[in-house]
Every structure is written in C-alpha cells, then in structure tokens.
Amino acid sequence: MAQGLLFIVSAPSGTGKTTLIKRLVQSVPDIVMSRSYTSRPARPGEVDGVDYTFVSDEQFTEMVEGDGFIEWAHIFGHRYGTSRTAINRHRSNGQDVVLVIDVQGAQQVRSRSDDAITIFVLPPSHQVLETRLRQRSGQDATEDELQTRLETAKQEVVQSDGYDYVVVNDDIDRCVEQLQSIVVAERSRAAVVNETVDEILSAFQITGD
C-alpha cells in the first residue's frame, strides 16, 4: 500500500481554515484532518476527541519530552501540538493527512518531512479579516487581544510566499474547489502513482526505462 500524502494548511486566525478543511475531507475520499492536542480549556461547544484532544499542561509537557509531537507551538498563550504517532498511522494506512497548523508548526514539520505539501489560505483583505475576528470573538476578547491577532496575521501573511500553494478564501465554495484540485493534482504526480504505473507497464511488457 502506497503511503498517504501529507498536506499542511496554514492561515491567519479568522481566515476560516478549519471550516474549509472540514468541507474538504467530507468531499474527498481517503483524506483526514489531523486533530491537534492542546493545553487550553475547551470553549463552549467544543468536544474532546472531536475538535481537539484536550490535555493538562503536565500531559502536554510529557508528550513534548517524549518526542510525541511532529510539531508543537505556543499560540496566543496556549500550547498546541500534532501527534507523530497518529500522523504515521494514517499515512501507513494509505490515507492522506491534512495538518491545520500555524507557520511555526509548518516550519517544524517541513524540517522533519521533506515530502510535505504546503498550502497557505489568505483572507480577501485586512479589513475582512478584522471584521471576521471581531464577529467571532464578540465580547470575549479585548481590543488589545484583537490587535495582537491582527499583528500576528500580518507577520504570518508575509511568509505565504514560502508555501507551495496560496489560495484566497473570498468564497468558501470556490476555495474548497481549489483545495480539491490541489489534492487531485498532488495525487497524480508521477512519484506518487509510480507503483501503479509500473504495474500497468509490466502488463504491457514494457519497462519504465
């Protein structure tokens, strides 16, 4: 069985990346979204084991010290990480995996997995992102916290040119279609389908040389 592909999707907070990837994995077979571990408390409506795996600070530290994460980072005062074991299990089973992580995490994964395919999702504009953040945060965030998120977004956006693909989430349906096309294109690369091609060529008694 061929090993599954590894996709990394990064975007500023408020861009809608999680919603996009949930739509992607619902519409494309044999692809899963990695569930992150986090040391922060669950927000209203979040379910342990569905949205995140919620652990204590002590448990998170133990996983870090045991090299249990393929990447982890501090994000807005809390720690988030991706389980190395879970990623390897999915890929060994032939499933493609999507990591929805920030630019810090993406850099860590790329340093350890040179086959990772990276995608950056941009908001349509700074104004749209600010509006989305204010609507999402409501009364739960101070003005200083909102400005911190916007400043972080500015720093992340300038790193988008280091990604393999960049898409703009100005229309969710169109953006999901673009993500679907990227997955299909990467699955069609010669290096990925080489084993299948060799089998077909062998049936024709033709070598791949």
Side-chain angles (χ1 to χ4, degrees):
M1 181 181 296
Q3 179 172 258
L5 301 175
L6 180 61
F7 293 91
I8 295 173
V9 176
S10 300
S13 178
T15 305
K17 57 185 178 295
T18 302
T19 299
L20 288 169
I21 302 310
K22 286 182 177 179
R23 288 272 300 270
L24 174 69
V25 300
Q26 289 170 355
S27 59
V28 177
D30 297 322
I31 187 168
V32 297
M33 180 171 69
S34 172
R35 183 177 64 248
S36 296
Y37 282 69
T38 182
S39 61
R40 72 163 171 79
R43 295 168 181 157
E46 291 182 332
V47 179
D48 183 33
V50 176
D51 299 288
Y52 291 93
T53 297
F54 295 97
V55 296
S56 66
D57 279 322
E58 292 76 13
Q59 290 172 307
F60 199 100
T61 298
E62 287 177 3
M63 292 187 71
V64 171
E65 294 175 347
D67 200 25
F69 294 123
I70 191 172
E71 62 82 26
W72 71 275
H74 287 274
I75 304 174
F76 302 123
H78 299 287
R79 290 186 292 178
Y80 295 79
T82 302
S83 167
R84 182 190 307 278
T85 301
I87 299 304
N88 291 340
R89 182 178 67 250
H90 285 303
R91 297 188 70 190
S92 295
N93 289 335
Q95 292 178 302
D96 297 339
V97 182
V98 184
L99 308 187
V100 184
I101 53 180
D102 74 340
V103 293
Q104 297 178 64
Q107 290 170 352
Q108 291 180 50
V109 176
R110 283 188 289 188
S111 70
R112 299 177 177 180
S113 301
D114 57 9
D115 61 344
I117 302 148
T118 57
I119 306 169
F120 198 95
V121 181
L122 286 171
S125 67
H126 182 278
Q127 182 178 358
V128 168
L129 181 63
E130 181 174 354
T131 299
R132 289 177 181 174
L133 283 172
R134 290 186 182 280
Q135 290 174 341
R136 191 178 74 173
S137 300
Q139 303 299 318
D140 297 331
T142 66
E143 184 63 27
D144 285 345
E145 289 171 335
L146 284 169
Q147 292 304 318
T148 296
R149 289 178 181 268
L150 287 170
E151 180 60 32
T152 300
K154 182 191 301 184
Q155 296 170 9
E156 291 176 333
V157 163
V158 298
Q159 299 185 56
S160 62
D161 60 356
Y163 282 65
D164 299 317
Y165 299 92
V166 178
V167 297
V168 179
N169 188 17
D170 54 353
D171 178 275
I172 189 167
D173 291 330
R174 180 165 58 244
C175 194
V176 171
E177 288 178 359
Q178 288 179 300
L179 293 171
Q180 291 170 338
S181 297
I182 291 170
V183 173
V184 171
E186 289 295 335
R187 286 178 173 179
S188 300
R189 283 182 180 271
V192 176
V193 300
N194 197 43
E195 184 176 338
T196 300
V197 170
D198 285 346
E199 291 176 359
I200 295 172
L201 293 177
S202 177
F204 281 92
Q205 297 183 334
I206 302 174
T207 67
D209 297 332

